[in-house]
Amino acid sequence: MKTTMLKPAEVQSKWWIIDGEDLVVGRLAAKLAPILMGKHRPDYTPHVLCGDFVIVTNAEKVKFTGMKWEDKTYDRYTGYPGGRRVVTASTLRDKAPEKILELAVRRMLPKNKLASRMLKRLKVYAGTDHPHQAQQPEPLKIDL
């Protein structure tokens, strides 16, 4: 039996859509990351971008378990002395609800040069509308 290695020209990506309403952030991100990597495909090749595109709608209605809306913090650093900025999950939900899911998925992707290109295939929208109807996305069934 031969091992097949995909070439970038041979990859045919699909488009998936999922409604994020009432889904737990970490569990949803754990299902989305392998799809963006391409691990759900039988011809998965680690060094080739072979994942699919994923559209997530209703990102403003995702859930956290426990008290994470108040306790979970997101840190960033501006690059200046004393430039550490800390934001709670509830504040981030009010300002940019898409960022919560994007950050969760980003941290589950591999730490290599393909990770940024994989993350560009994730399209997250706060509401139900998205501009990707022309790609004819199929609904993604996730068992959580």
Side-chain angles (χ1 to χ4, degrees), residues 76-85:
R76 65 183 180 90
Y77 187 68
T78 64
Y80 289 96
R84 180 174 174 235
R85 303 288 185 252

Side-chain angles (χ1 to χ4, degrees), residues 5-15 32-41 43-54 105 109-110 112-123:
M5 296 300 246
L6 274 182
K7 295 185 176 99
E10 297 171 350
V11 176
Q12 295 187 356
S13 298
K14 293 178 69 174
W15 283 75
L32 296 180
I35 294 171
L36 293 172
M37 286 187 263
K39 287 195 164 191
H40 65 291
R41 299 168 58 122
D43 54 358
Y44 167 69
T45 307
H47 63 277
V48 175
L49 185 63
C50 59
D52 292 339
F53 290 84
V54 179
V105 172
L109 291 176
N112 59 20
K113 293 181 180 182
L114 285 178
S116 61
R117 292 174 56 200
M118 289 175 191
L119 196 62
K120 287 180 186 176
R121 292 174 171 236
L122 176 67
K123 314 293 184 184

Side-chain angles (χ1 to χ4, degrees), residues 21-140:
E21 186 172 0
D22 294 331
L23 295 179
V24 180
V25 173
R27 293 171 191 254
L28 178 60
K31 298 291 183 180
L32 296 180
I35 294 171
L36 293 172
M37 286 187 263
K39 287 195 164 191
H40 65 291
R41 299 168 58 122
D43 54 358
Y44 167 69
T45 307
H47 63 277
V48 175
L49 185 63
C50 59
D52 292 339
F53 290 84
V54 179
I55 304 165
V56 181
T57 58
N58 286 326
E60 60 192 4
K61 297 179 183 175
V62 294
K63 296 189 310 185
F64 274 123
T65 57
M67 297 294 295
K68 289 190 186 107
W69 285 118
E70 290 80 26
D71 296 341
K72 185 170 180 59
T73 59
Y74 293 94
D75 294 5
R76 65 183 180 90
Y77 187 68
T78 64
Y80 289 96
R84 180 174 174 235
R85 303 288 185 252
V86 180
V87 177
T88 63
S90 61
T91 307
L92 189 61
R93 177 184 54 188
D94 297 337
K95 290 183 180 179
E98 307 91 13
K99 278 299 246 192
I100 291 174
L101 194 58
E102 287 174 5
L103 288 170
V105 172
R106 166 179 280 170
R107 293 167 182 173
M108 292 184 186
L109 291 176
K111 281 49 173 187
N112 59 20
K113 293 181 180 182
L114 285 178
S116 61
R117 292 174 56 200
M118 289 175 191
L119 196 62
K120 287 180 186 176
R121 292 174 171 236
L122 176 67
K123 314 293 184 184
V124 183
Y125 298 99
T128 57
D129 298 332
H130 63 87
H132 304 289
Q133 292 297 334
Q135 282 74 25
Q136 299 171 350
E138 299 177 23
L140 182 63

